[in-house]
Amino acid sequence: MEHAPSAADRAALQHAWTDKLAAAEAMVPLIGRLYRRDDVVPSVYGRPLVGESPIGIVKAHRSTRRVDETELPVSESLAILTELDTMDVASASVDLADLAARHRADPLGTPLREFLEDELFLARGSSGDAPRPAPRDVVLYGFGRIGRMLARILLERAGEHAPLVLRAVVVRRRGPDDLVKRASLLRRDSIHGPFAGTVTVDTEHDTITANGTLVQFISADAPSAVDYRAHGIEDAIVVDTTGRWRDAEGLEQHLLAPGAGRVLLTAPGTGDLPNVVHGINHDAIGDAPVVSAASCTTNAIVPVLKAVSDAYGVVHGHVETVHSATNDQNLVDNYHPADRRGRAAGLNMVITATGAARAAEKALPELRGRLTGNAVRVPTPNVSLAVLHLTLARAVGRDELNGLLRDASLTSSLRRQIDYVESPEVVSTDFLGSRRAGVVDGLATIADGSEHVVLYVWYDNESSYSRQVHRILQEMAGGRATALPATPVGRRAAVRHVGGSLQTCGTSERSGSTWTAPSSTTAERPEPVRPGS
């Protein structure tokens, strides 16, 4: 018979918890200072710590058991942050867990400071002394659901070294209180809660100041009617969130406006317009003047499809998305040019078309002609669910398939896009505010050892998608940060710069993973996540 824990056992547990919490509390000002002063984003295996509470920091460290089978000591992260605070590490993404694991495994026993300096040298390479690119002006054309979500992200990321600066918002003025009402909609949101910061309105000059960023509001009825240069804006990326124009010809109207440089559409593009899903084909953006960020559903499913297709091959697939109601549906029964969308959105499930399958084929050409899709709009305000019915080139069991997707969410090049959860109680509201493009529900996976499988992927069709759009914006601005450690995530290697040459010590791949991450010198800096996610 086992003995009950003694008073000493309970005291030891409480003492250990207190020590963790104290270390996490000491990390908070370091994380904040590195972020605001140096544009450094610390994370734990892709889970960013910016804005996290001490409890959230402890939880992030506990989550490392999924990768290393042991919990990352908060004290080790604190030691790394303390050193980084006195180093020149401007504009960087720093994975504390991977750095700590590598330092522990270093057979040379390199002191922490020297180890971090070596990693920084390797990450920067020959561009170590290159000047930091100037911040890129961003203009939001439209200020609806996605426009305001993007504004929140850009304002949240504002700082001295931020690669993107929100300079203006273009709207169609609807009355004398237009600016006041739009500022109020930025401050308060029924779904995403209050804005994390302050908002000041200047109706005389048509500006708002949010978290220290001055944003000009411009009234216009057409893209070419705006003169951005008159407001000191030059070579701006114009983000069209209206969806009014979907082809290159329509969207190129924005380029006629003085001060506009490039255009990003937050909807699926038609014709030859590049449809980009970050993490999949963002390297193809190049210098394209007009780019589409595809749709929220496309961004949710394509990374998962890519992972599965690379591992098993996809012969055919059908995508059924259970999608929250959107603003283009009628609140009560009334005429609508699209079929069924005229029926009351709050009372009905509505079968409608989706272009997600076609857009997915643009991002993954190897699946061309192999996907079909449909959608059911349902009376919920946000968070949707994609159901992927796939026929694979070879048979696979549930555990193997889930293991692949779990690993993809932790250590692959798609870990910014794919998340994974196993819980018997998760429902749609649990994914509100998710920063990943899609979250695989492992317990719902159907795979019986045949070629036919079914996957369920949750996604916040507003927040998740807006994060993907922001990542594309960073690519277009050339503002991706240096990443530490300097070698791919998932490798347990101690890499040293010795006598002008590189020496790799004790390299080993994480067992069971079929994925390798891209060179972290080009890895995208991670996104903040809400506590408890």
Side-chain angles (χ1 to χ4, degrees):
M1 181 177 177
E2 294 185 2
H3 296 288
S6 66
D9 292 333
R10 291 192 296 271
L13 288 171
Q14 186 61 57
H15 182 70
W17 170 257
T18 301
D19 284 348
K20 284 183 189 178
L21 202 57
E25 288 168 345
M27 287 175 63
V28 170
L30 291 169
I31 293 167
R33 184 160 57 248
L34 284 164
Y35 180 58
R36 296 298 171 192
R37 183 191 66 195
D38 301 322
D39 192 36
V40 171
V41 181
S43 66
V44 172
Y45 285 140
R47 179 172 178 168
L49 301 180
V50 176
E52 284 283 9
S53 67
I55 295 292
I57 291 171
V58 172
K59 289 178 67 176
H61 283 69
R62 184 167 174 77
S63 71
T64 59
R65 296 175 305 159
R66 295 192 296 166
V67 179
D68 295 325
E69 297 181 356
T70 184
E71 185 175 327
L72 171 64
V74 183
S75 57
E76 290 190 14
S77 292
L78 176 59
I80 293 172
L81 289 173
T82 301
E83 293 293 347
L84 292 176
D85 189 40
T86 62
M87 296 170 61
D88 178 18
V89 199
S91 295
S93 167
V94 178
D95 196 314
L96 300 173
D98 215 16
L99 281 172
R102 291 165 195 253
H103 186 241
R104 267 186 258 115
D106 181 6
L108 302 178
T110 312
L112 179 60
R113 174 71 176 223
E114 186 180 347
F115 173 83
L116 293 174
E117 287 174 344
D118 289 344
E119 286 289 344
L120 185 60
F121 175 86
L122 292 169
R124 287 179 171 170
S126 60
S127 63
D129 297 326
R132 186 181 299 111
R136 189 70 178 269
D137 290 347
V138 176
V139 172
L140 298 178
Y141 193 92
F143 207 52
R145 297 301 302 163
I146 299 302
R148 292 196 296 275
M149 281 299 303
L150 283 172
R152 285 188 171 205
I153 295 169
L154 290 165
L155 294 168
E156 170 189 289
R157 293 300 194 85
E160 183 181 353
H161 299 303
L164 300 166
V165 180
L166 177 59
R167 293 294 308 278
V169 176
V170 181
V171 296
R172 299 178 68 179
R173 193 175 300 279
R174 300 187 181 220
D177 295 329
D178 187 275
L179 184 61
V180 172
K181 289 188 175 184
R182 293 185 190 279
S184 182
L185 287 170
L186 177 63
R187 281 194 187 100
R188 304 172 182 87
D189 192 277
S190 300
I191 295 171
H192 300 287
F195 173 66
T198 62
V199 178
T200 303
V201 181
D202 183 346
T203 55
E204 181 180 353
H205 298 97
D206 285 328
T207 64
I208 67 168
T209 302
N211 291 0
T213 299
L214 183 69
V215 183
Q216 182 72 51
F217 274 69
I218 303 170
S219 178
D221 293 326
S224 58
V226 186
D227 185 352
Y228 296 115
R229 286 196 182 121
H231 300 282
I233 299 170
E234 190 65 55
D235 196 28
I237 302 175
V238 179
V239 186
D240 189 321
T241 68
T242 68
R244 182 177 176 184
W245 304 278
R246 300 287 187 92
D247 60 2
E249 182 181 0
L251 290 164
E252 284 172 356
Q253 296 178 75
H254 290 289
L255 300 178
L256 301 176
R262 302 180 77 179
V263 183
L264 175 58
L265 170 66
T266 62
T270 59
D272 295 330
L273 202 64
N275 278 258
V276 175
V277 175
H278 195 276
I280 300 296
N281 62 340
H282 59 269
D283 289 339
I285 293 173
D287 297 325
V290 183
V291 175
S292 161
S295 71
C296 55
T297 303
T298 304
N299 276 267
I301 65 174
V302 164
V304 175
L305 286 170
K306 172 67 172 172
V308 175
S309 178
D310 283 356
Y312 308 111
V314 174
V315 177
H316 182 266
H318 177 75
V319 180
E320 194 76 36
T321 175
V322 183
H323 199 292
S324 292
T326 63
N327 198 47
D328 77 317
Q329 294 176 252
N330 286 343
L331 188 60
V332 295
D333 287 3
N334 207 345
Y335 174 80
H336 194 292
D339 293 344
R340 310 191 203 219
R341 295 193 192 189
R343 302 300 299 278
L347 297 175
N348 295 291
M349 293 189 291
V350 178
I351 298 175
T352 186
T354 176
R358 298 285 80 80
E361 291 177 353
K362 285 189 174 183
L364 294 175
E366 64 267 29
L367 297 185
R368 193 178 307 278
R370 301 184 185 184
L371 298 176
T372 58
N374 217 351
V376 180
R377 299 283 181 90
V378 295
T380 56
N382 190 33
V383 181
S384 301
L385 177 65
V387 186
L388 310 181
H389 296 260
L390 305 177
T391 301
L392 306 180
R394 71 175 180 87
V396 63
R398 183 172 179 270
D399 289 346
E400 180 185 345
L401 182 57
N402 277 346
L404 172 88
L405 294 169
R406 172 185 170 277
D407 281 356
S409 74
L410 293 170
T411 60
S412 84
S413 60
L414 294 173
R415 67 178 186 162
R416 305 285 185 260
Q417 284 73 40
I418 299 175
D419 205 351
Y420 180 89
V421 65
E422 285 190 0
S423 171
E425 294 296 331
V426 293
V427 292
S428 61
T429 55
D430 293 317
F431 304 98
L432 182 65
S434 172
R435 266 63 170 175
R436 306 285 182 92
V439 185
V440 176
D441 193 323
L443 293 186
T445 297
I446 299 173
D448 60 3
S450 71
E451 294 84 2
H452 303 287
V453 303
V454 184
L455 295 169
Y456 291 78
V457 182
W458 298 97
Y459 58 107
D460 182 324
N461 44 277
E462 294 180 343
S463 175
S464 298
Y465 177 65
S466 295
R467 296 287 168 178
Q468 283 285 89
V469 174
H470 181 256
R471 291 164 189 150
I472 294 175
L473 269 175
Q474 289 180 303
E475 296 288 340
M476 296 176 74
R480 284 188 293 175
T482 299
L484 296 178
T487 47
V489 174
R491 292 185 184 274
R492 296 295 169 256
V495 183
R496 300 273 290 125
H497 182 73
V498 181
S501 63
L502 300 183
Q503 177 180 345
T504 303
C505 308
T507 302
S508 63
E509 293 286 354
R510 179 176 178 273
S511 61
S513 176
T514 60
W515 287 82
T516 56
S519 169
S520 59
T521 57
T522 59
E524 176 228 348
R525 47 178 289 192
E527 301 284 341
V529 295
R530 64 189 178 95
S533 63

